[in-house]
Amino acid sequence: MSEFQSLLDNIDSFKGLLVKHEEVIHQKKVVLQEKKKIAADMQAEIDELTKEFDGMEHRKQELEKTIEEAEKAYSRITQSTQTLQAVIQQEFHRFQDPNPLGSSSKLAASPKS
């Protein structure tokens, strides 16, 4: 019977190992659940930051477009101002010309009636 007793002792040892192993599994399961919770929380934070970043990028693009359009408008205004200034100067000089018909070159080019 000592052989059988040795087998029973081995079975008891295996049962003890099984209990310890189940305890380790339970601990690992708890740690895994905690880590999954942390990962889910971090993913939620990442998603929120990504959404915020995307919004900021969109706003940046809108601002860049606004600046570009404002610069184009400024350029057009500057050109128009220069054109207006040139026209005003021409008209000013025309009215200051002692010859009311214009310069002598205009007289030579105009046909006589």
Side-chain angles (χ1 to χ4, degrees):
M1 284 256 205
S2 67
E3 287 181 26
F4 290 118
Q5 187 59 42
S6 160
L7 286 173
L8 287 175
D9 290 342
N10 284 339
I11 290 171
D12 286 340
S13 292
F14 286 133
K15 285 180 181 178
L17 287 173
L18 177 61
V19 169
K20 288 180 182 179
H21 189 69
E22 287 174 339
E23 289 172 3
V24 169
I25 288 174
H26 176 71
Q27 290 171 353
K28 293 289 182 179
K29 188 175 184 180
V30 168
V31 169
L32 178 62
Q33 289 172 343
E34 290 172 354
K35 298 288 183 182
K36 283 183 177 180
K37 170 86 170 87
I38 291 169
D41 291 346
M42 289 181 79
Q43 186 61 50
E45 282 185 53
I46 289 169
D47 292 345
E48 185 63 31
L49 287 171
T50 300
K51 182 179 175 184
E52 184 179 345
F53 176 77
D54 290 345
M56 292 175 81
E57 278 293 315
H58 180 72
R59 181 67 179 138
K60 176 187 167 197
Q61 291 171 352
E62 287 178 345
L63 288 170
E64 287 172 343
K65 185 177 177 183
T66 300
I67 290 168
E68 182 181 328
E69 290 174 0
E71 287 174 340
K72 286 178 184 177
Y74 176 79
S75 177
R76 287 191 301 270
I77 291 168
T78 302
Q79 290 172 356
S80 295
T81 302
Q82 290 170 351
T83 302
L84 180 59
Q85 184 179 12
V87 168
I88 290 171
Q89 285 177 353
Q90 286 174 356
E91 290 298 310
F92 181 75
H93 290 301
R94 188 172 71 101
F95 285 110
Q96 297 234 341
D97 192 344
N99 184 353
L101 298 176
S103 68
S104 58
S105 62
K106 287 184 181 178
L107 287 175
S110 62
K112 292 189 178 187
S113 23

